[in-house]
Amino acid sequence: MANQIFKSGTSIGANVREAQNAESKADFIHKLKIAAKEADETEYWILLCLESPHLKSPSEKMLSDLREILLILSKIISSAKLK
């Protein structure tokens, strides 16, 4: 699970970085949507870790921070669609 969290978690930043160099508004939105999907996947893995009695659980702050990132990405995507 740690590998899954690492992969999806680092993919969030990589896709946001790609969005900053997007070739069009549609490309920008697409890359941010991928980042949001990766954040959602990361949340899934963290929730599994929190529920597992056999794993060292990540902190609740990690989950809270991730949910804040999801809200930020959602707001950026919706704002970009309006322009």
Side-chain angles (χ1 to χ4, degrees):
M1 282 193 200
N3 284 339
Q4 290 298 115
I5 292 171
F6 180 77
K7 287 177 185 179
S8 60
T10 56
S11 181
I12 300 165
N15 280 290
V16 168
R17 186 92 182 232
E18 281 190 43
Q20 292 172 338
N21 296 305
E23 296 178 12
S24 66
K25 184 169 86 168
D27 188 36
F28 175 78
I29 292 168
H30 176 71
K31 285 177 174 34
L32 286 180
K33 282 184 176 181
I34 294 171
K37 285 181 181 182
E38 294 293 337
D40 192 52
E41 180 183 342
T42 304
E43 180 184 37
Y44 168 78
W45 290 114
I46 289 173
L47 289 171
L48 281 181
C49 287
L50 289 171
E51 294 299 319
S52 175
H54 305 292
L55 298 172
K56 181 178 179 187
S57 295
S59 69
E60 288 289 335
K61 175 143 177 39
M62 183 184 294
L63 187 59
S64 173
D65 289 348
L66 182 61
R67 287 181 173 157
E68 190 172 333
I69 289 168
L70 277 163
L71 289 172
I72 291 167
L73 289 171
S74 178
K75 182 64 178 171
I76 293 169
I77 292 166
S78 64
S79 294
K81 286 180 178 180
L82 293 175
K83 292 182 180 181

